[in-house]
Amino acid sequence: PDGEQPVLDQITKAGIAWLEKMLKTEYDRLPPTAVEDISATQIQYLYMRSFFPEIGLPGSVFPAMNYYRKQAIRYWPKQNIYLRGMIALFLYRTGDRKTAKDIIASLKENATQSEELGMYWPSVKPGYYWQESPVETQCLLIEAFHEINPGLKLTDQLKYWLLRQKQTRHWGNTKATADA
Protein backbone atom coordinates (compact mmCIF):
# COMPACT_ATOMS: atom_id res chain seq x y z
CA PRO A 1 0.00 0.00 0.00
CA ASP A 2 1.05 3.59 -0.66
CA GLY A 3 1.12 4.36 3.07
CA GLU A 4 3.84 1.76 3.61
CA GLN A 5 6.25 3.19 1.02
CA PRO A 6 7.91 5.74 3.36
CA VAL A 7 8.68 2.99 5.86
CA LEU A 8 10.08 0.73 3.14
CA ASP A 9 12.20 3.60 1.79
CA GLN A 10 13.58 4.24 5.27
CA ILE A 11 14.44 0.56 5.75
CA THR A 12 16.09 0.43 2.30
CA LYS A 13 18.20 3.52 2.95
CA ALA A 14 19.28 2.24 6.37
CA GLY A 15 20.24 -1.14 4.88
CA ILE A 16 22.24 0.43 2.06
CA ALA A 17 23.98 2.78 4.52
CA TRP A 18 24.99 -0.20 6.66
CA LEU A 19 26.28 -2.14 3.63
CA GLU A 20 28.28 0.88 2.48
CA LYS A 21 29.79 1.24 5.93
CA MET A 22 30.86 -2.43 5.80
CA LEU A 23 32.26 -2.03 2.27
CA LYS A 24 34.29 1.00 3.33
CA THR A 25 35.56 -0.81 6.43
CA GLU A 26 36.63 -3.75 4.27
CA TYR A 27 38.33 -1.40 1.82
CA ASP A 28 40.12 0.50 4.59
CA ARG A 29 41.50 -2.78 5.97
CA LEU A 30 43.14 -3.76 2.67
CA PRO A 31 46.88 -4.03 3.21
CA PRO A 32 49.04 -2.06 0.76
CA THR A 33 50.32 -5.34 -0.69
CA ALA A 34 46.87 -6.92 -1.01
CA VAL A 35 46.42 -9.48 -3.74
CA GLU A 36 44.18 -7.76 -6.19
CA ASP A 37 40.88 -9.49 -6.88
CA ILE A 38 37.22 -9.12 -5.99
CA SER A 39 35.06 -11.40 -3.86
CA ALA A 40 31.57 -12.73 -4.51
CA THR A 41 30.25 -10.58 -1.66
CA GLN A 42 31.74 -7.41 -3.14
CA ILE A 43 30.27 -8.27 -6.55
CA GLN A 44 26.89 -8.87 -4.94
CA TYR A 45 27.11 -5.44 -3.29
CA LEU A 46 27.84 -3.78 -6.66
CA TYR A 47 24.92 -5.61 -8.26
CA MET A 48 22.59 -4.65 -5.41
CA ARG A 49 23.69 -1.03 -5.59
CA SER A 50 22.77 -0.88 -9.29
CA PHE A 51 19.10 -1.16 -8.29
CA PHE A 52 19.24 2.10 -6.32
CA PRO A 53 20.79 4.85 -8.46
CA GLU A 54 18.49 7.43 -6.85
CA ILE A 55 20.17 6.91 -3.47
CA GLY A 56 23.35 8.97 -3.53
CA LEU A 57 26.71 7.42 -2.77
CA PRO A 58 28.37 9.11 0.22
CA GLY A 59 31.70 10.73 -0.61
CA SER A 60 33.47 8.63 2.02
CA VAL A 61 32.41 5.43 0.22
CA PHE A 62 33.32 6.64 -3.27
CA PRO A 63 36.99 5.48 -3.18
CA ALA A 64 35.89 1.97 -2.12
CA MET A 65 33.17 1.82 -4.79
CA ASN A 66 35.61 3.06 -7.43
CA TYR A 67 38.23 0.50 -6.36
CA TYR A 68 35.80 -2.44 -6.47
CA ARG A 69 34.37 -1.24 -9.78
CA LYS A 70 37.88 -1.29 -11.27
CA GLN A 71 38.46 -4.73 -9.74
CA ALA A 72 35.22 -6.01 -11.31
CA ILE A 73 36.24 -4.66 -14.72
CA ARG A 74 39.70 -6.16 -14.45
CA TYR A 75 38.89 -9.54 -12.92
CA TRP A 76 35.51 -10.49 -14.40
CA PRO A 77 37.09 -13.27 -16.52
CA LYS A 78 38.21 -15.02 -13.30
CA GLN A 79 34.66 -15.18 -11.90
CA ASN A 80 32.12 -17.93 -12.33
CA ILE A 81 29.26 -17.48 -14.79
CA TYR A 82 26.76 -16.22 -12.20
CA LEU A 83 29.11 -13.51 -10.94
CA ARG A 84 29.99 -12.48 -14.50
CA GLY A 85 26.29 -11.89 -15.09
CA MET A 86 26.07 -9.74 -11.94
CA ILE A 87 29.12 -7.72 -13.00
CA ALA A 88 27.67 -7.22 -16.49
CA LEU A 89 24.37 -5.94 -15.08
CA PHE A 90 26.13 -3.63 -12.61
CA LEU A 91 28.39 -2.16 -15.28
CA TYR A 92 25.57 -1.78 -17.80
CA ARG A 93 23.32 -0.01 -15.28
CA THR A 94 26.12 2.31 -14.22
CA GLY A 95 27.17 3.37 -17.70
CA ASP A 96 29.94 0.98 -18.78
CA ARG A 97 27.96 -0.55 -21.62
CA LYS A 98 31.03 -1.65 -23.60
CA THR A 99 32.44 -3.90 -20.88
CA ALA A 100 28.96 -5.22 -20.11
CA LYS A 101 28.46 -6.17 -23.76
CA ASP A 102 31.92 -7.76 -23.83
CA ILE A 103 30.96 -9.93 -20.86
CA ILE A 104 27.69 -10.93 -22.55
CA ALA A 105 29.60 -11.78 -25.75
CA SER A 106 31.99 -13.94 -23.73
CA LEU A 107 29.11 -15.70 -21.99
CA LYS A 108 27.44 -16.35 -25.33
CA GLU A 109 30.67 -17.67 -26.80
CA ASN A 110 31.12 -20.14 -23.93
CA ALA A 111 27.51 -21.34 -23.88
CA THR A 112 26.15 -24.53 -25.36
CA GLN A 113 23.19 -24.20 -27.69
CA SER A 114 20.98 -27.03 -28.82
CA GLU A 115 17.49 -27.32 -30.26
CA GLU A 116 16.54 -29.82 -27.60
CA LEU A 117 17.80 -27.92 -24.54
CA GLY A 118 18.15 -24.29 -25.58
CA MET A 119 21.14 -22.26 -24.41
CA TYR A 120 22.97 -23.17 -21.21
CA TRP A 121 26.38 -23.61 -19.59
CA PRO A 122 27.24 -27.25 -18.83
CA SER A 123 30.05 -26.10 -16.55
CA VAL A 124 27.51 -24.72 -14.05
CA LYS A 125 27.14 -27.47 -11.48
CA PRO A 126 25.30 -27.32 -8.16
CA GLY A 127 27.61 -26.32 -5.35
CA TYR A 128 27.69 -25.11 -1.78
CA TYR A 129 27.54 -21.38 -2.49
CA TRP A 130 24.56 -19.32 -3.69
CA GLN A 131 26.36 -18.41 -6.90
CA GLU A 132 26.78 -22.08 -7.87
CA SER A 133 23.14 -23.03 -8.51
CA PRO A 134 22.25 -23.82 -12.14
CA VAL A 135 18.64 -22.57 -11.97
CA GLU A 136 19.53 -19.30 -10.22
CA THR A 137 22.45 -18.81 -12.62
CA GLN A 138 20.18 -19.30 -15.62
CA CYS A 139 17.62 -16.84 -14.18
CA LEU A 140 20.26 -14.17 -13.61
CA LEU A 141 21.61 -14.67 -17.13
CA ILE A 142 18.12 -14.33 -18.57
CA GLU A 143 17.95 -10.96 -16.79
CA ALA A 144 21.40 -9.96 -18.10
CA PHE A 145 20.83 -11.00 -21.72
CA HIS A 146 17.36 -9.42 -21.78
CA GLU A 147 18.52 -6.12 -20.29
CA ILE A 148 21.86 -5.74 -22.09
CA ASN A 149 20.87 -7.13 -25.52
CA PRO A 150 17.07 -6.89 -25.54
CA GLY A 151 16.55 -7.68 -29.22
CA LEU A 152 18.38 -10.99 -29.24
CA LYS A 153 16.43 -14.23 -29.46
CA LEU A 154 18.97 -15.77 -27.08
CA THR A 155 16.78 -14.88 -24.12
CA ASP A 156 14.14 -17.29 -25.43
CA GLN A 157 16.78 -20.03 -25.70
CA LEU A 158 17.81 -19.35 -22.09
CA LYS A 159 14.18 -19.58 -20.96
CA TYR A 160 13.75 -22.80 -22.92
CA TRP A 161 16.57 -24.47 -20.96
CA LEU A 162 14.92 -23.34 -17.73
CA LEU A 163 11.55 -24.79 -18.75
CA ARG A 164 13.21 -28.05 -19.81
CA GLN A 165 14.70 -28.33 -16.32
CA LYS A 166 11.26 -28.01 -14.80
CA GLN A 167 9.91 -30.59 -17.23
CA THR A 168 12.64 -33.20 -16.78
CA ARG A 169 13.52 -32.59 -13.12
CA HIS A 170 12.37 -30.12 -10.54
CA TRP A 171 13.70 -26.85 -9.28
CA GLY A 172 15.56 -27.94 -6.20
CA ASN A 173 14.35 -25.37 -3.70
CA THR A 174 11.96 -22.48 -3.13
CA LYS A 175 14.62 -19.89 -4.01
CA ALA A 176 15.10 -21.51 -7.42
CA THR A 177 11.35 -21.56 -7.96
CA ALA A 178 11.01 -17.89 -7.00
CA ASP A 179 13.89 -16.88 -9.29
CA ALA A 180 12.44 -18.86 -12.18
Side-chain angles (χ1 to χ4, degrees), residues 89-131:
L89 284 163
F90 162 72
L91 293 173
Y92 185 80
R93 292 172 181 166
T94 57
D96 187 350
R97 295 177 186 259
K98 182 194 178 313
T99 306
K101 288 185 182 234
D102 289 347
I103 294 170
I104 292 296
S106 172
L107 289 168
K108 180 184 170 197
E109 188 176 295
N110 291 298
T112 298
Q113 295 183 31
S114 78
E115 277 193 38
E116 184 180 320
L117 295 174
M119 184 167 143
Y120 64 101
W121 290 263
S123 62
V124 177
K125 304 283 185 220
Y128 178 76
Y129 297 103
W130 53 267
Q131 69 268 19

Side-chain angles (χ1 to χ4, degrees), residues 126-127 129-130 133-136 166 170-180:
Y129 297 103
W130 53 267
S133 169
V135 172
E136 284 88 338
K166 181 64 173 173
H170 64 85
W171 293 324
N173 56 51
T174 56
K175 182 182 181 313
T177 302
D179 280 347

Side-chain angles (χ1 to χ4, degrees), residues 137-150:
T137 296
Q138 194 77 3
C139 293
L140 182 95
L141 293 174
I142 289 169
E143 176 187 359
F145 274 79
H146 177 72
E147 189 169 326
I148 296 170
N149 285 322

Side-chain angles (χ1 to χ4, degrees), residues 30-39 67 70-71 74-75 78:
L30 285 174
T33 59
V35 174
E36 294 192 21
D37 203 350
I38 187 166
S39 73
Y67 173 78
K70 288 177 183 176
Q71 296 299 89
R74 184 172 179 189
Y75 293 107
K78 293 177 70 178

Side-chain angles (χ1 to χ4, degrees), residues 54-89:
E54 73 282 358
I55 298 176
L57 187 69
S60 62
V61 179
F62 186 78
M65 173 68 103
N66 193 37
Y67 173 78
Y68 290 119
R69 177 188 187 82
K70 288 177 183 176
Q71 296 299 89
I73 291 168
R74 184 172 179 189
Y75 293 107
W76 70 260
K78 293 177 70 178
Q79 305 304 320
N80 68 28
I81 291 169
Y82 188 94
L83 296 175
R84 288 180 195 183
M86 281 188 156
I87 291 169
L89 284 163

